[in-house]
Amino acid sequence: MRKFRLRVWLWRAGRACVAALCSASAVFAAATPAPFSPTNIFAPDSTPARSIFRISAFVLEITGAIFVVVFSLLAYAVIKYREPKDDDGHEPAQVYGSNQMELAWTVLPVLIVVVLFLSTAQVIHRVQDARAPADALQVTAVGHQFWWEYRYPQYNFSTANELHVPISDPGHAVPTYLGLLSADVDHSFWVPRLAGKTDLIPNHPNTTWIDPHQTGIFLGQCAQFCGTAHANMLLRVYVQSPDDFQSWVHEQEQPAVNDPSTAAGRALFVAKACFACHTIRGTMAAGKVGPDLTHLMSRDTIAAGILPNTPENLRKWIQDPPAMKEGALMPKVDMTDEQLTQITAYLETLK
Amino acid sequence: MAADSIAVPLPRTESRSLLLDWLCTVDHKKIGMMYIVYALIFLVIMGCEAILMRIQLARPESTFLSADAFNRLFTMHGTTGIFFVAMPILIGFGNYFVPLMIGARDMAFPRLNAFSFWMTAFGGILLYASFFTGGSLLHGGDAPAVGWFAYAPLTSPAFSPGHGTDFWNLSLLLAGIGSIGAAVNFIATVLCMRCPGMTLGKMPLFAWMNLVTGGLILVAISPLTAAQLMLMADRFLGGHFFDPAAGGQPVMWMHFFWIFGHPEVYVLIIPSFAFISEVLPVFSRKAIFGYPAMVAATAGIGFVSLGVWAHHLFTVGMPSYGNAFFVLTTMVVAVPTGIKIFNWLATMWGGKIRFATPMLFCIGFLFQFLIGGLTGVMLATAPFDWQLNNSYFVVAHFHYIIVGGILFAIFAAFYYWFPKMTGRMLSEKLGKWHFWIFVLGFHLTFDFMHVPGLLGMPRRVYTYQAGRGWGVWNMISSIGVIFQAAAILIFVYNIVHSYFRGALAGNDPWDAWTLEWATTSPPAEYNFSSVPAVRSRRPLWDIKHPEDPDWKYE
Amino acid sequence: MSATPATFADEAAELRPLSRGRVGMWCLITAESAIFLIFVIAYLVYMGTSLDGPTPKQILTVPVITTICLLSSSATMHWATSALRRGKLALFRLFWFVTLMLGTIFLVGTGREWHRFIYQENFTIHTNLFGTTFYSLVGLHASHVAVGLIALATVMILALFGKVKQEHSERCEILAMYWHFVDAVWVVVFTVVYGLGR
Ligand code: HEA
Ligand code: HEA
Ligand code: CUA
Ligand SMILES: [Cu+2]
């Protein structure tokens, strides 16, 4: 009976602490101006990231307090008990221990640990065990060495490297649930302002979710070492208003534009074996090794976020991918300058 | 007072060359020294690797190193640091001082001891051979580039062609066998070789902690050995343990690795605790506070540490109750660790603290370990870790403990025991320079390393984009390394210089209390000319204070 | 300090030191157990998850006879060492030899099983996850039996030359600890591979 009451008490204490902190940190977050960095974990903009932020602030305060106390004791001891200059040479009184004191500094940390654990467990449960509502957007993210594939099973298309999701404001909550798979080695999906990271591991499907509260571009990058170009496997999440998102979806669902003026480039795409690795819907290219290029021109960047998607960059990329991104798994394909121009021109029509 | 400890050199029946003397030795002191020197060489090597990495990271989009070179460097830096710097140096000190402190003639199995050392030594050499086995040296040869925890399936032949991964695997397998041998020896020595009167409860804490470390090594290294055998089966025999295409589970490697990896970090910290527990009382001029609690806390840490491994895996998608379980076990470790911190503080409390160099490093240890431990508690908060995992915050956390804690404890041990090992004092003046410059460099590098982690910078990136707000912090970190390197140069100079020119130490320069100070400096080959007998934890205190000996109170 | 040694002679006598050989062997056994534990876990995790055949049910036959041999070798080993302790050298040699033979039968049995798998069933470590875990777990155990047999044979040869005497019984018992451990591991491996896994 007594034990049970203790537990209730501790639950309540933990909850009260969390509640106090929530309000404190909400004030703090509201008062924070522009984030210090586009990937600042202390500038959350989505529910899971906010829950994490609150428990983080709580833990920071507790550990900060412990630091202040223990450091003060240390500083006091060092200053107070230094050997005097005119020491008489006698040894100080020898003390071998004290049961009361040792009990005190065992029990106190135990209590702190219990509080920390309970508040942590709560947040774990809240973030991890949240159920997807029926109207949630489902996206499957597949990690590849060294780029991201995004499949939209509800809409039947897939794209690469730039994830588009709708805003989820309190009035109209549309969270996005991400299934996380890997095509080769381990990767990790980390967009700090939206959610904590979750790994993409072969044979170990994972999920995570976000519900961004603001439109805009959120950055992140692969957070599990996955080979040579791990550093250049960047993440970009585009949060759009419901209308913008719908029109983006509509655009992506279309097959590729077929502009007869770039037929030469289109033929080269087959002749140079690009089609073996890339998909362009509406053509015979259906490769799965590289990013889907059907709407390449709707993307701001290429090569997993490291290069702005400009004609020059595109050309340079096709000319020698590993030179632009060390370790990229797209081979250098031999082409004349003219062929390069033709194929780039073709790609530029893939709006 | 120590009449019985004057060395009488035994007549040498055969004269061998000095080199052969060392190569064939089975004497625990020589083996201990070899471990230590070997580890110091690797410390400088891995430090140079760190310098190269820090140059590359000082500015965004730097092209100083290629991606491959950088990835090899951090793999080699981390692997070397854990297996060929920290482990051997700690085992080395243990080897030298456990027998001396318990009044034994040698370790329990002298030949096994030599074998263990040479396995470890060979492992390190094998690891570094990888630099020279193909590929351009500029890009790191064929050195492994899979990170020190070598997650599958990056280590499979498909993603790691060449032999870098095999070098990593084989060298750690050998070093692991060496460590297990050393652990067997520590346990048998402590349990079977104590001098008359030294019950378990009267052993110095140093011996206790090495005993626990030994036990931890036995159950921690073996899982790594097993996992590495599996990796070998995969790479050499076409097995599928970690092959997703055949249904294998890469997550299994993660668990196996950390079932080793987490206890491993306590294998490193407990011997460091052992150094602090010997040095700190002597320079506070008080007996250790709460000896039984210290022993219990050590055993407790060792025990609990076997059940916390998955706090490295909060982001791999364990069920929520699994995550919660490992949050709890991990945080529980803070309790016995806290007991230690408070007992050390209580030991200083009311003492007469002498600020000799060993004590300075002890105080540095306490301060930095406290912070490193508290950042550990932040990481243990699973949701917080979803953000911090694999970020520079983690890198800062563990360098805070490994460099700010373990390395500081090792330096304390050097300044404290060097006189015993060589018969000469290290220069106090240089020691203080070493201390203050290293403190400065350490804090510049690792304090500021927390920040990019909080700003979303992942670890193991050879480059990063400008505009993320990470540049300044990385620059400061890199500048700090200059000071660390300078301090270590001073330290190395101090060792070499003092070895030849240092002031003579005498048997007991620090007015200390454990048995090693009762024999000559350096001790004769047979350690003690007559087997000492003890009645308390501080036998030399009893002798020095016959009016108020310890054994009356214990 | 000079006065100290003599005073505690009686106290020292109370402390009967542990045998370091035994402690060392216990340590080794602990470490080895951890290795086997990891392999057993891997076996259990992958049980029934192979993507293609053959399955354990299709090809494994329970090695009853060799198992009986190996387990009874623990008994003969025990008789051998207790004979040595009592100084009955001939009896010791006899039981030691029987132990050696029983162990050899076991190893030959494993060899024949493997031969059949590899050459008739085309089942190797490369075939599927079952193959990978089966060969490595059973192979790890077999390699321990082999090491044990080499050690047993060495002692046997020494014994035949009359070099093993009563005063060596401690060492033989330490070796026996290892042998009993290898037997005990087989109980686990057998249960997992031929019991649960089939
Ligand atoms: C020897 C080194 C060492 C030591 C001693 C520790 C100690 C601790 N470590 Fe650390 N750790 C590492 C080395 C070490 N660690 C390394 C190398 C890695 C990364 C590996 C890699 O990924 O490459 C790592 C990573 C790591 C992670 C994984 C991070 C990630 O990858 O996402 C976590 C998570 O829980 C963690 C937690 C802890 C905790 C809780 C402790 C605790 O033991 C700390 C306990 C101490 C204190 C808490 C301070 C003193 C206590 C008090 C004053 C009492 C009062 C306090 C409370 C009640 C809280 N560590
Ligand atoms: C014992 C363990 C240990 C030690 C001592 C250190 C010491 C240092 N470490 Fe390291 N480190 C690890 C263990 C250790 N580290 C591990 C396990 C990893 C993870 C690896 C992985 O991710 O797989 C890691 C990773 C790691 C990284 C992250 C790499 C990445 O993720 O991309 C960085 C980056 O700054 C770093 C820096 C440093 C620095 C600056 C030091 C400094 O303290 C070093 C100071 C020493 C010196 C500076 C040497 C002095 C040299 C001389 C005196 C000679 C001078 C001569 C010339 C200049 C010619 N370490
Ligand atoms: Cu993908 Cu790192
Ligand atoms: Cu850990």
Side-chain angles (χ1 to χ4, degrees), chain B residues 131-413:
Chain B
F131 272 123
F132 308 99
T133 54
S136 144
L137 208 55
L138 211 61
H139 298 284
D142 199 10
V146 289
W148 85 279
F149 40 76
Y151 276 178
L154 194 59
T155 47
S156 71
F159 300 111
S160 288
H163 287 297
T165 305
D166 299 320
F167 275 108
W168 179 87
N169 206 16
L170 283 172
S171 69
L172 295 197
L173 209 60
L174 291 182
I177 293 171
S179 308
I180 292 177
V184 171
N185 232 328
F186 276 130
I187 296 176
T189 306
V190 173
L191 291 185
C192 311
M193 311 282 287
R194 297 189 310 279
C195 67
M198 186 172 284
T199 57
L200 283 177
K202 290 190 180 131
M203 276 192 326
L205 282 175
F206 188 92
W208 259 113
M209 294 185 183
N210 274 289
L211 176 67
V212 173
T213 307
L216 216 46
I217 287 178
L218 286 188
V219 288
I221 302 272
S222 316
L224 178 66
T225 305
Q228 289 187 311
L229 290 174
M230 293 178 189
L231 182 57
M232 232 151 87
D234 275 14
R235 285 185 65 92
F236 290 136
L237 305 174
H240 303 293
F241 278 109
F242 309 112
D243 172 12
Q249 290 287 353
V251 178
M252 202 168 74
W253 170 272
M254 299 181 181
H255 281 281
F256 290 170
F257 185 88
W258 290 114
I259 287 174
F260 146 77
H262 185 84
E264 169 69 13
V265 305
Y266 293 97
V267 165
L268 303 184
I269 199 71
I270 292 178
S272 315
F273 291 164
F275 298 164
I276 303 299
S277 302
E278 293 305 325
V279 178
L280 193 119
V282 168
F283 291 91
S284 307
R285 309 308 305 158
K286 276 180 66 207
I288 189 87
F289 191 93
Y291 173 99
M294 290 299 261
V295 173
T298 310
I301 292 175
F303 183 73
V304 179
S305 77
L306 296 176
V308 307
W309 75 87
H311 65 219
H312 296 269
L313 304 175
F314 285 142
T315 63
V316 306
M318 284 186 290
S320 54
Y321 51 85
N323 281 334
F325 173 80
F326 285 103
V327 170
L328 181 61
T329 54
T330 304
M331 285 184 173
V332 163
V333 179
V335 177
T337 315
I339 294 177
K340 286 186 178 249
I341 300 254
F342 294 121
N343 279 353
W344 286 322
L345 285 176
T347 305
M348 292 165 70
W349 212 265
K352 285 184 179 172
I353 301 172
R354 293 182 185 161
F355 291 97
T357 313
M359 188 61 180
L360 290 180
F361 278 105
C362 277
I363 294 170
F365 169 94
L366 283 180
F367 175 60
Q368 281 135 204
F369 178 71
L370 171 67
I371 298 177
L374 292 173
T375 55
V377 172
M378 297 174 202
L379 294 168
T381 309
F384 205 171
D385 186 68
W386 294 334
Q387 294 284 18
L388 298 177
N389 167 269
N390 275 351
S391 77
Y392 261 88
F393 192 90
V394 173
V395 180
H397 156 72
F398 68 74
H399 283 90
Y400 235 93
I401 294 191
I402 294 186
V403 179
I406 296 169
L407 206 55
F408 270 64
I410 288 171
F411 288 143

Side-chain angles (χ1 to χ4, degrees), chain A residues 37-39 219-222 229-234 305-306, chain B residues 53-65 67 70 392 448 452-453 455-479:
Chain A
S37 144
T39 45
L219 301 183
Q221 69 191 79
C222 177
H230 157 68
N232 283 328
M233 188 166 165
L234 308 187
I306 63 162
Chain B
M53 289 194 292
R54 284 317 320 173
I55 295 176
Q56 165 74 9
L57 291 173
R59 283 173 304 117
E61 283 155 39
S62 149
T63 52
F64 175 69
L65 293 174
F70 185 91
Y392 261 88
F448 293 95
L455 298 182
M457 178 168 174
R459 64 196 283 198
R460 298 174 166 180
V461 292
Y462 78 96
T463 187
Y464 55 95
Q465 296 192 307
R468 290 292 188 91
W470 301 339
V472 190
W473 311 104
N474 276 295
M475 181 54 100
I476 300 175
S477 276
S478 296
I479 290 171

Side-chain angles (χ1 to χ4, degrees), chain C residues 70-71 74 141 178-190:
Chain C
L70 190 65
L71 295 188
S74 253
H141 178 260
Y178 176 81
W179 189 253
H180 293 312
F181 164 71
V182 171
D183 277 8
V185 168
W186 180 248
V187 175
V188 176
V189 173
F190 181 85

